[in-house]
Amino acid sequence: MSQYARLLTVFLVAMVGQWWWSSHGAIYGVAPQLLLVLTIAVAARQGPLCAMVMGFFWGLFLDVMAARLVGANALALTLAAYGTGSMRRQVDLLGLAPQCLMVASLTLVYFMFMGLMGLVFLHSFMWVGWMSFLVDPFYNSFVALLVYVLWESWMEPAR
Amino acid sequence: MHREARAANYVFVSFLIISLTLLSLPLAGPVRAFKACATYLLNPFAYYGDKGFERFASIPSRLRELISADMDNRSMQERVKQDQWIRAEAESLRTENARLRAALGLKAPGGRAALWAHVLERDPLRWYRSITVDAGSEQGVSLNSPVLGNAGGGLVAIGRITEGRTKTAVVLLATDELSSVAAYLVSPATATESGSAPPPSFEGLLQGQGKARLRMNYLSPDAEVHKGDLVFTSPTSATFPPDVLLGKVAEVFALDPFLAFQSVEIQPALEASRLKEVMILKQAPPTAARVAEMVGAASAEDAGDEEAAP
């Protein structure tokens, strides 16, 4: 299976995974931002271009699924992909710890960004709640760990 | 590298513009159309995802049901096995019950008390010679008590007690080589005509041979014996009550000119291998009338003596 086919598979499976996790796998209403984690992982490994394409469409998927701002998630994930892809020139993001750290910090940024988007375009701060805000960075880091392991075992042979 | 970075910048700017456009026009027709179109395209994700989730979600419960069904199945199989065993046991008991009911209808020959006993042991090396029964001296079994069996609703003689223990006794079968019974032989026609106690026709001595069949010796050379003739215990028998069936003639031997009697081979009325219960005839305890009779006789005897004394 070529690398593009693998990436396409990741793209589709990730959407189903995000949908399932947020619909059926949430614990006390807290579900990880799998697509954000994957966008960062792709950006760290494949570069910003690929990550932005995937992140943008994943964001659109999230926007379409949500009833509120259309384009906010697409913009957020595009920015995350671009930022991570740009940062990898200065920081080695291929390791597990940098990726987890990046995921944790960008999760907080993502929440704040979404809130600001709401404030700007809907005139109300879209607050995710303290529970998600405090737990999700760790939850996403844990998911980043899983993603890292899976990526190493499944995607790396294709490199 | 520069080209890729430049492409990334172009893509970033493009996506930025698209996103901001979408954000800026949340209620515009094109945005709503785009959202409807995207929803239509992405709908299968939710639909099939939900279907798949339902299937996967039902796996644990189905697995649990499967395990439960398997456990139930094993339990039921065990119960079926037990039921089969119980049924076989019930069938055996029913057969035994029927046999014992038939045996209850049999009456012991006069002057004797009947004691039914089960066959406990049968030595394969002495198959036609002896059996052990579960009645002994505690039940009143005494040496040389006649032992009868039940064949076709009638009593047949099968042997006598040769060893009495406390709770068990050994029965010497008529087929043993050491066994002999005074018997008479009668044709079935004669037996039918004269009822249950046919008149003696040809007396002889029935002797065991250590095998399935018996031999009847000392029959008169003039006796007309045919296959199928019945053999009963003789009134002259010291052990058995008279007129109890022993067997029937299975083979008539040619008359030996050097012997003064003829012999026949007898098929026992009840084979040793079919014995399950036996009736032991023990001496009945004297009744009150019999005791009074005996006392009266003794008194009369004493009075006679007194009269004769002067």
Side-chain angles (χ1 to χ4, degrees), chain B residues 106-164:
Chain B
L106 300 174
K107 286 182 181 173
R112 312 261 188 151
L115 172 70
W116 283 95
H118 280 92
V119 176
L120 272 185
E121 189 183 334
R122 184 184 284 117
D123 188 352
L125 297 175
R126 298 168 58 81
W127 195 257
Y128 295 106
R129 296 182 177 178
S130 65
I131 54 172
T132 306
V133 295
D134 64 349
S137 55
E138 278 186 1
Q139 286 81 28
V141 175
S142 57
L143 211 61
N144 284 325
S145 295
V147 181
L148 311 181
N150 173 23
L155 289 173
V156 295
I158 58 169
R160 60 192 169 91
I161 301 291
T162 52
E163 191 180 335

Short mmCIF file of all heavy atoms in Angstrom, two decimals, chain B residues 106-164:
data_model
loop_
_atom_site.label_atom_id
_atom_site.label_comp_id
_atom_site.label_asym_id
_atom_site.label_seq_id
_atom_site.Cartn_x
_atom_site.Cartn_y
_atom_site.Cartn_z
N LEU B 106 -47.70 -65.89 43.86
CA LEU B 106 -47.40 -67.32 44.02
C LEU B 106 -47.57 -67.72 45.48
O LEU B 106 -47.22 -66.97 46.39
CB LEU B 106 -45.95 -67.58 43.58
CG LEU B 106 -45.65 -67.23 42.13
CD1 LEU B 106 -44.16 -67.39 41.87
CD2 LEU B 106 -46.45 -68.10 41.19
N LYS B 107 -48.08 -68.88 45.64
CA LYS B 107 -48.28 -69.36 47.01
C LYS B 107 -47.28 -70.47 47.29
O LYS B 107 -47.03 -71.33 46.45
CB LYS B 107 -49.69 -69.90 47.16
CG LYS B 107 -50.73 -68.80 47.22
CD LYS B 107 -52.12 -69.37 47.43
CE LYS B 107 -53.16 -68.27 47.46
NZ LYS B 107 -54.52 -68.81 47.51
N ALA B 108 -46.77 -70.42 48.47
CA ALA B 108 -45.83 -71.47 48.84
C ALA B 108 -46.59 -72.79 49.04
O ALA B 108 -47.72 -72.77 49.50
CB ALA B 108 -45.12 -71.07 50.12
N PRO B 109 -45.95 -73.87 48.67
CA PRO B 109 -46.59 -75.17 48.91
C PRO B 109 -46.93 -75.33 50.39
O PRO B 109 -46.27 -74.76 51.26
CB PRO B 109 -45.52 -76.16 48.47
CG PRO B 109 -44.71 -75.42 47.48
CD PRO B 109 -44.69 -74.01 47.94
N GLY B 110 -47.97 -76.09 50.65
CA GLY B 110 -48.54 -76.19 51.99
C GLY B 110 -47.55 -76.53 53.09
O GLY B 110 -46.61 -77.30 52.91
N GLY B 111 -47.81 -75.94 54.26
CA GLY B 111 -47.00 -76.25 55.43
C GLY B 111 -45.67 -75.54 55.48
O GLY B 111 -44.88 -75.76 56.39
N ARG B 112 -45.42 -74.70 54.50
CA ARG B 112 -44.12 -74.01 54.47
C ARG B 112 -44.37 -72.50 54.43
O ARG B 112 -45.38 -72.03 53.92
CB ARG B 112 -43.32 -74.38 53.22
CG ARG B 112 -43.24 -75.87 52.96
CD ARG B 112 -41.94 -76.43 53.45
NE ARG B 112 -41.79 -77.82 53.03
CZ ARG B 112 -40.60 -78.36 52.83
NH1 ARG B 112 -39.50 -77.65 52.99
NH2 ARG B 112 -40.51 -79.62 52.48
N ALA B 113 -43.36 -71.78 54.91
CA ALA B 113 -43.41 -70.32 54.82
C ALA B 113 -42.44 -69.88 53.72
O ALA B 113 -41.32 -70.39 53.64
CB ALA B 113 -43.02 -69.69 56.14
N ALA B 114 -42.91 -68.97 52.88
CA ALA B 114 -42.08 -68.52 51.76
C ALA B 114 -41.23 -67.32 52.18
O ALA B 114 -41.70 -66.43 52.88
CB ALA B 114 -42.95 -68.15 50.58
N LEU B 115 -40.01 -67.35 51.75
CA LEU B 115 -39.12 -66.20 51.99
C LEU B 115 -38.45 -65.86 50.66
O LEU B 115 -37.75 -66.68 50.09
CB LEU B 115 -38.07 -66.57 53.03
CG LEU B 115 -36.96 -65.54 53.25
CD1 LEU B 115 -37.51 -64.30 53.94
CD2 LEU B 115 -35.83 -66.13 54.09
N TRP B 116 -38.73 -64.67 50.19
CA TRP B 116 -38.13 -64.26 48.92
C TRP B 116 -36.76 -63.65 49.18
O TRP B 116 -36.58 -62.88 50.10
CB TRP B 116 -39.02 -63.24 48.21
CG TRP B 116 -40.21 -63.88 47.55
CD1 TRP B 116 -41.45 -64.00 48.08
CD2 TRP B 116 -40.23 -64.50 46.28
NE1 TRP B 116 -42.28 -64.65 47.22
CE2 TRP B 116 -41.56 -64.98 46.09
CE3 TRP B 116 -39.30 -64.74 45.28
CZ2 TRP B 116 -41.96 -65.66 44.94
CZ3 TRP B 116 -39.69 -65.40 44.13
CH2 TRP B 116 -41.00 -65.86 43.97
N ALA B 117 -35.83 -64.00 48.33
CA ALA B 117 -34.46 -63.47 48.49
C ALA B 117 -33.89 -63.14 47.11
O ALA B 117 -34.26 -63.75 46.11
CB ALA B 117 -33.58 -64.50 49.19
N HIS B 118 -33.01 -62.15 47.11
CA HIS B 118 -32.34 -61.77 45.85
C HIS B 118 -31.07 -62.58 45.67
O HIS B 118 -30.41 -62.93 46.66
CB HIS B 118 -31.95 -60.29 45.89
CG HIS B 118 -33.08 -59.38 45.58
ND1 HIS B 118 -33.90 -58.84 46.55
CD2 HIS B 118 -33.56 -58.91 44.40
CE1 HIS B 118 -34.81 -58.09 46.00
NE2 HIS B 118 -34.63 -58.11 44.69
N VAL B 119 -30.74 -62.80 44.42
CA VAL B 119 -29.47 -63.47 44.13
C VAL B 119 -28.35 -62.45 44.31
O VAL B 119 -28.35 -61.40 43.66
CB VAL B 119 -29.46 -64.03 42.69
CG1 VAL B 119 -28.10 -64.63 42.36
CG2 VAL B 119 -30.53 -65.09 42.54
N LEU B 120 -27.44 -62.74 45.19
CA LEU B 120 -26.35 -61.81 45.49
C LEU B 120 -25.15 -62.04 44.60
O LEU B 120 -24.52 -61.11 44.11
CB LEU B 120 -25.90 -61.99 46.94
CG LEU B 120 -26.60 -61.21 48.04
CD1 LEU B 120 -25.90 -61.47 49.34
CD2 LEU B 120 -26.59 -59.73 47.74
N GLU B 121 -24.83 -63.26 44.42
CA GLU B 121 -23.55 -63.58 43.79
C GLU B 121 -23.69 -64.87 43.00
O GLU B 121 -24.41 -65.79 43.39
CB GLU B 121 -22.50 -63.75 44.89
CG GLU B 121 -21.09 -63.86 44.39
CD GLU B 121 -20.14 -64.10 45.55
OE1 GLU B 121 -20.48 -63.70 46.69
OE2 GLU B 121 -19.08 -64.69 45.32
N ARG B 122 -23.00 -64.85 41.88
CA ARG B 122 -23.00 -66.07 41.07
C ARG B 122 -21.58 -66.25 40.57
O ARG B 122 -21.06 -65.41 39.86
CB ARG B 122 -23.98 -65.91 39.90
CG ARG B 122 -24.14 -67.13 39.06
CD ARG B 122 -25.04 -66.88 37.88
NE ARG B 122 -26.45 -66.85 38.25
CZ ARG B 122 -27.22 -65.79 38.13
NH1 ARG B 122 -26.73 -64.67 37.67
NH2 ARG B 122 -28.49 -65.83 38.47
N ASP B 123 -20.98 -67.30 40.96
CA ASP B 123 -19.57 -67.54 40.60
C ASP B 123 -19.50 -68.02 39.14
O ASP B 123 -20.09 -69.06 38.82
CB ASP B 123 -18.97 -68.58 41.55
CG ASP B 123 -17.47 -68.71 41.34
OD1 ASP B 123 -16.97 -68.11 40.38
OD2 ASP B 123 -16.83 -69.41 42.15
N PRO B 124 -18.80 -67.28 38.29
CA PRO B 124 -18.74 -67.69 36.87
C PRO B 124 -18.13 -69.08 36.70
O PRO B 124 -18.47 -69.78 35.74
CB PRO B 124 -17.86 -66.62 36.23
CG PRO B 124 -17.86 -65.49 37.17
CD PRO B 124 -18.07 -66.04 38.52
N LEU B 125 -17.23 -69.44 37.61
CA LEU B 125 -16.61 -70.76 37.49
C LEU B 125 -17.56 -71.87 37.93
O LEU B 125 -17.35 -73.03 37.62
CB LEU B 125 -15.32 -70.82 38.33
CG LEU B 125 -14.23 -69.86 37.88
CD1 LEU B 125 -13.06 -69.90 38.86
CD2 LEU B 125 -13.76 -70.21 36.48
N ARG B 126 -18.58 -71.48 38.69
CA ARG B 126 -19.54 -72.47 39.18
C ARG B 126 -20.96 -72.02 38.78
O ARG B 126 -21.87 -72.02 39.59
CB ARG B 126 -19.42 -72.59 40.69
CG ARG B 126 -18.07 -73.07 41.16
CD ARG B 126 -17.91 -72.89 42.65
NE ARG B 126 -18.92 -73.58 43.42
CZ ARG B 126 -18.90 -74.86 43.71
NH1 ARG B 126 -17.88 -75.61 43.31
NH2 ARG B 126 -19.87 -75.42 44.39
N TRP B 127 -21.06 -71.65 37.51
CA TRP B 127 -22.29 -71.02 37.01
C TRP B 127 -23.52 -71.91 37.23
O TRP B 127 -24.57 -71.43 37.62
CB TRP B 127 -22.12 -70.72 35.52
CG TRP B 127 -23.14 -69.79 34.97
CD1 TRP B 127 -24.21 -70.10 34.20
CD2 TRP B 127 -23.17 -68.37 35.13
NE1 TRP B 127 -24.93 -69.00 33.87
CE2 TRP B 127 -24.30 -67.89 34.44
CE3 TRP B 127 -22.38 -67.46 35.80
CZ2 TRP B 127 -24.64 -66.57 34.39
CZ3 TRP B 127 -22.73 -66.13 35.74
CH2 TRP B 127 -23.84 -65.69 35.06
N TYR B 128 -23.36 -73.19 36.94
CA TYR B 128 -24.51 -74.10 37.06
C TYR B 128 -24.49 -74.86 38.38
O TYR B 128 -25.15 -75.87 38.51
CB TYR B 128 -24.49 -75.09 35.90
CG TYR B 128 -24.68 -74.42 34.56
CD1 TYR B 128 -23.62 -74.27 33.68
CD2 TYR B 128 -25.93 -73.93 34.19
CE1 TYR B 128 -23.79 -73.63 32.47
CE2 TYR B 128 -26.10 -73.29 32.97
CZ TYR B 128 -25.04 -73.14 32.13
OH TYR B 128 -25.22 -72.52 30.93
N ARG B 129 -23.71 -74.39 39.31
CA ARG B 129 -23.55 -75.17 40.54
C ARG B 129 -24.16 -74.50 41.77
O ARG B 129 -24.87 -75.14 42.52
CB ARG B 129 -22.08 -75.45 40.78
CG ARG B 129 -21.52 -76.31 39.66
CD ARG B 129 -20.09 -76.67 39.83
NE ARG B 129 -19.66 -77.56 38.76
CZ ARG B 129 -18.43 -78.01 38.64
NH1 ARG B 129 -17.51 -77.67 39.51
NH2 ARG B 129 -18.13 -78.82 37.66
N SER B 130 -23.86 -73.23 41.97
CA SER B 130 -24.40 -72.60 43.18
C SER B 130 -24.58 -71.09 42.99
O SER B 130 -23.95 -70.49 42.11
CB SER B 130 -23.47 -72.86 44.37
OG SER B 130 -22.24 -72.21 44.16
N ILE B 131 -25.40 -70.56 43.83
CA ILE B 131 -25.59 -69.10 43.89
C ILE B 131 -25.64 -68.71 45.36
O ILE B 131 -25.90 -69.56 46.22
CB ILE B 131 -26.88 -68.65 43.18
CG1 ILE B 131 -28.09 -69.40 43.74
CG2 ILE B 131 -26.78 -68.78 41.68
CD1 ILE B 131 -29.42 -68.88 43.25
N THR B 132 -25.42 -67.42 45.61
CA THR B 132 -25.54 -66.91 46.97
C THR B 132 -26.72 -65.95 47.01
O THR B 132 -26.86 -65.11 46.11
CB THR B 132 -24.26 -66.17 47.38
OG1 THR B 132 -23.15 -67.04 47.17
CG2 THR B 132 -24.30 -65.76 48.84
N VAL B 133 -27.54 -66.10 48.03
CA VAL B 133 -28.73 -65.24 48.15
C VAL B 133 -28.64 -64.40 49.43
O VAL B 133 -27.88 -64.73 50.34
CB VAL B 133 -30.03 -66.07 48.14
CG1 VAL B 133 -30.22 -66.75 46.81
CG2 VAL B 133 -30.03 -67.07 49.29
N ASP B 134 -29.42 -63.29 49.45
CA ASP B 134 -29.32 -62.35 50.57
C ASP B 134 -30.28 -62.68 51.71
O ASP B 134 -30.90 -61.78 52.28
CB ASP B 134 -29.54 -60.92 50.06
CG ASP B 134 -30.93 -60.71 49.52
OD1 ASP B 134 -31.64 -61.71 49.34
OD2 ASP B 134 -31.30 -59.55 49.28
N ALA B 135 -30.41 -63.92 52.03
CA ALA B 135 -31.21 -64.31 53.21
C ALA B 135 -30.43 -65.40 53.93
O ALA B 135 -29.87 -66.30 53.27
CB ALA B 135 -32.58 -64.82 52.78
N GLY B 136 -30.37 -65.30 55.23
CA GLY B 136 -29.59 -66.28 55.98
C GLY B 136 -30.34 -66.76 57.21
O GLY B 136 -31.58 -66.67 57.27
N SER B 137 -29.58 -67.23 58.15
CA SER B 137 -30.21 -67.82 59.35
C SER B 137 -31.03 -66.79 60.13
O SER B 137 -31.98 -67.14 60.81
CB SER B 137 -29.13 -68.43 60.23
OG SER B 137 -28.15 -67.45 60.53
N GLU B 138 -30.65 -65.51 60.01
CA GLU B 138 -31.44 -64.47 60.69
C GLU B 138 -32.87 -64.42 60.18
O GLU B 138 -33.78 -64.03 60.88
CB GLU B 138 -30.79 -63.09 60.47
CG GLU B 138 -29.65 -62.82 61.42
CD GLU B 138 -29.12 -61.41 61.29
OE1 GLU B 138 -29.66 -60.63 60.47
OE2 GLU B 138 -28.15 -61.09 61.99
N GLN B 139 -33.03 -64.79 58.91
CA GLN B 139 -34.38 -64.79 58.33
C GLN B 139 -35.04 -66.17 58.44
O GLN B 139 -36.11 -66.39 57.88
CB GLN B 139 -34.32 -64.38 56.85
CG GLN B 139 -34.06 -62.91 56.60
CD GLN B 139 -32.61 -62.54 56.71
OE1 GLN B 139 -31.72 -63.36 56.47
NE2 GLN B 139 -32.35 -61.31 57.14
N GLY B 140 -34.40 -67.08 59.11
CA GLY B 140 -35.00 -68.40 59.32
C GLY B 140 -34.63 -69.42 58.26
O GLY B 140 -35.28 -70.45 58.14
N VAL B 141 -33.63 -69.13 57.50
CA VAL B 141 -33.21 -70.08 56.46
C VAL B 141 -32.40 -71.18 57.13
O VAL B 141 -31.48 -70.91 57.90
CB VAL B 141 -32.35 -69.36 55.39
CG1 VAL B 141 -31.82 -70.37 54.39
CG2 VAL B 141 -33.17 -68.30 54.69
N SER B 142 -32.77 -72.41 56.86
CA SER B 142 -32.06 -73.54 57.47
C SER B 142 -31.47 -74.42 56.38
O SER B 142 -31.81 -74.30 55.20
CB SER B 142 -33.01 -74.33 58.36
OG SER B 142 -34.10 -74.76 57.59
N LEU B 143 -30.60 -75.28 56.80
CA LEU B 143 -29.93 -76.19 55.86
C LEU B 143 -30.95 -77.08 55.16
O LEU B 143 -31.94 -77.51 55.77
CB LEU B 143 -28.93 -77.03 56.65
CG LEU B 143 -27.67 -77.46 55.91
CD1 LEU B 143 -26.88 -76.24 55.48
CD2 LEU B 143 -26.82 -78.35 56.81
N ASN B 144 -30.71 -77.32 53.87
CA ASN B 144 -31.55 -78.18 53.04
C ASN B 144 -32.95 -77.62 52.75
O ASN B 144 -33.82 -78.33 52.29
CB ASN B 144 -31.70 -79.57 53.64
CG ASN B 144 -30.44 -80.37 53.44
OD1 ASN B 144 -29.78 -80.24 52.40
ND2 ASN B 144 -30.06 -81.17 54.42
N SER B 145 -33.14 -76.32 53.07
CA SER B 145 -34.42 -75.72 52.71
C SER B 145 -34.54 -75.70 51.19
O SER B 145 -33.58 -75.33 50.49
CB SER B 145 -34.50 -74.28 53.23
OG SER B 145 -34.48 -74.24 54.62
N PRO B 146 -35.67 -76.09 50.65
CA PRO B 146 -35.82 -76.07 49.19
C PRO B 146 -35.88 -74.62 48.66
O PRO B 146 -36.45 -73.75 49.32
CB PRO B 146 -37.12 -76.80 48.95
CG PRO B 146 -37.86 -76.73 50.23
CD PRO B 146 -36.85 -76.62 51.33
N VAL B 147 -35.34 -74.46 47.51
CA VAL B 147 -35.32 -73.13 46.88
C VAL B 147 -36.04 -73.23 45.55
O VAL B 147 -35.71 -74.08 44.72
CB VAL B 147 -33.88 -72.63 46.68
CG1 VAL B 147 -33.88 -71.24 46.05
CG2 VAL B 147 -33.14 -72.59 48.01
N LEU B 148 -37.02 -72.35 45.38
CA LEU B 148 -37.82 -72.35 44.16
C LEU B 148 -37.61 -71.03 43.41
O LEU B 148 -37.17 -70.03 43.99
CB LEU B 148 -39.30 -72.52 44.49
CG LEU B 148 -39.69 -73.66 45.44
CD1 LEU B 148 -41.19 -73.70 45.61
CD2 LEU B 148 -39.19 -75.01 44.91
N GLY B 149 -37.96 -71.09 42.16
CA GLY B 149 -37.88 -69.87 41.35
C GLY B 149 -39.19 -69.61 40.66
O GLY B 149 -40.09 -70.46 40.68
N ASN B 150 -39.30 -68.45 40.06
CA ASN B 150 -40.53 -68.07 39.38
C ASN B 150 -40.30 -68.10 37.88
O ASN B 150 -39.46 -67.37 37.35
CB ASN B 150 -40.93 -66.66 39.84
CG ASN B 150 -42.10 -66.11 39.07
OD1 ASN B 150 -42.87 -66.88 38.50
ND2 ASN B 150 -42.24 -64.79 39.08
N ALA B 151 -41.05 -68.95 37.21
CA ALA B 151 -40.93 -69.04 35.75
C ALA B 151 -42.32 -69.03 35.15
O ALA B 151 -43.11 -69.95 35.40
CB ALA B 151 -40.17 -70.30 35.35
N GLY B 152 -42.61 -67.98 34.40
CA GLY B 152 -43.90 -67.90 33.72
C GLY B 152 -45.08 -67.91 34.68
O GLY B 152 -46.14 -68.48 34.37
N GLY B 153 -44.91 -67.33 35.86
CA GLY B 153 -46.02 -67.25 36.80
C GLY B 153 -46.19 -68.50 37.64
O GLY B 153 -47.15 -68.60 38.42
N GLY B 154 -45.32 -69.46 37.50
CA GLY B 154 -45.40 -70.69 38.31
C GLY B 154 -44.10 -70.93 39.04
O GLY B 154 -43.07 -70.36 38.71
N LEU B 155 -44.17 -71.78 40.04
CA LEU B 155 -42.98 -72.08 40.82
C LEU B 155 -42.25 -73.27 40.21
O LEU B 155 -42.88 -74.23 39.76
CB LEU B 155 -43.36 -72.40 42.26
CG LEU B 155 -43.85 -71.21 43.10
CD1 LEU B 155 -44.35 -71.70 44.44
CD2 LEU B 155 -42.71 -70.22 43.30
N VAL B 156 -40.95 -73.16 40.21
CA VAL B 156 -40.14 -74.28 39.71
C VAL B 156 -39.03 -74.52 40.73
O VAL B 156 -38.55 -73.59 41.39
CB VAL B 156 -39.53 -73.98 38.32
CG1 VAL B 156 -40.59 -73.85 37.28
CG2 VAL B 156 -38.66 -72.74 38.36
N ALA B 157 -38.65 -75.76 40.87
CA ALA B 157 -37.59 -76.10 41.82
C ALA B 157 -36.23 -75.82 41.19
O ALA B 157 -35.99 -76.16 40.02
CB ALA B 157 -37.70 -77.58 42.19
N ILE B 158 -35.38 -75.16 41.96
CA ILE B 158 -34.06 -74.86 41.39
C ILE B 158 -32.91 -75.37 42.26
O ILE B 158 -31.79 -75.50 41.78
CB ILE B 158 -33.89 -73.35 41.15
CG1 ILE B 158 -34.07 -72.59 42.46
CG2 ILE B 158 -34.82 -72.83 40.09
CD1 ILE B 158 -33.64 -71.14 42.34
N GLY B 159 -33.14 -75.65 43.53
CA GLY B 159 -32.03 -76.15 44.33
C GLY B 159 -32.37 -76.18 45.80
O GLY B 159 -33.55 -76.07 46.18
N ARG B 160 -31.34 -76.30 46.63
CA ARG B 160 -31.56 -76.33 48.08
C ARG B 160 -30.41 -75.62 48.78
O ARG B 160 -29.33 -75.47 48.21
CB ARG B 160 -31.71 -77.76 48.57
CG ARG B 160 -30.50 -78.62 48.33
CD ARG B 160 -30.83 -80.08 48.57
NE ARG B 160 -29.76 -80.94 48.09
CZ ARG B 160 -28.73 -81.35 48.85
NH1 ARG B 160 -28.62 -80.94 50.11
NH2 ARG B 160 -27.81 -82.15 48.35
N ILE B 161 -30.68 -75.22 50.01
CA ILE B 161 -29.66 -74.51 50.77
C ILE B 161 -28.61 -75.50 51.28
O ILE B 161 -28.97 -76.51 51.90
CB ILE B 161 -30.30 -73.78 51.98
CG1 ILE B 161 -31.37 -72.78 51.52
CG2 ILE B 161 -29.23 -73.08 52.83
CD1 ILE B 161 -30.85 -71.56 50.79
N THR B 162 -27.37 -75.22 51.01
CA THR B 162 -26.31 -76.11 51.49
C THR B 162 -25.40 -75.41 52.49
O THR B 162 -24.57 -76.06 53.12
CB THR B 162 -25.44 -76.60 50.32
OG1 THR B 162 -25.00 -75.48 49.58
CG2 THR B 162 -26.19 -77.56 49.44
N GLU B 163 -25.51 -74.10 52.57
CA GLU B 163 -24.67 -73.38 53.52
C GLU B 163 -25.43 -72.16 54.00
O GLU B 163 -25.79 -71.29 53.18
CB GLU B 163 -23.36 -72.97 52.83
CG GLU B 163 -22.32 -72.46 53.80
CD GLU B 163 -21.03 -72.06 53.09
OE1 GLU B 163 -20.76 -72.59 51.99
OE2 GLU B 163 -20.32 -71.21 53.63
N GLY B 164 -25.72 -72.14 55.27
CA GLY B 164 -26.46 -71.02 55.81
C GLY B 164 -25.56 -70.11 56.63
O GLY B 164 -24.87 -70.56 57.54
#
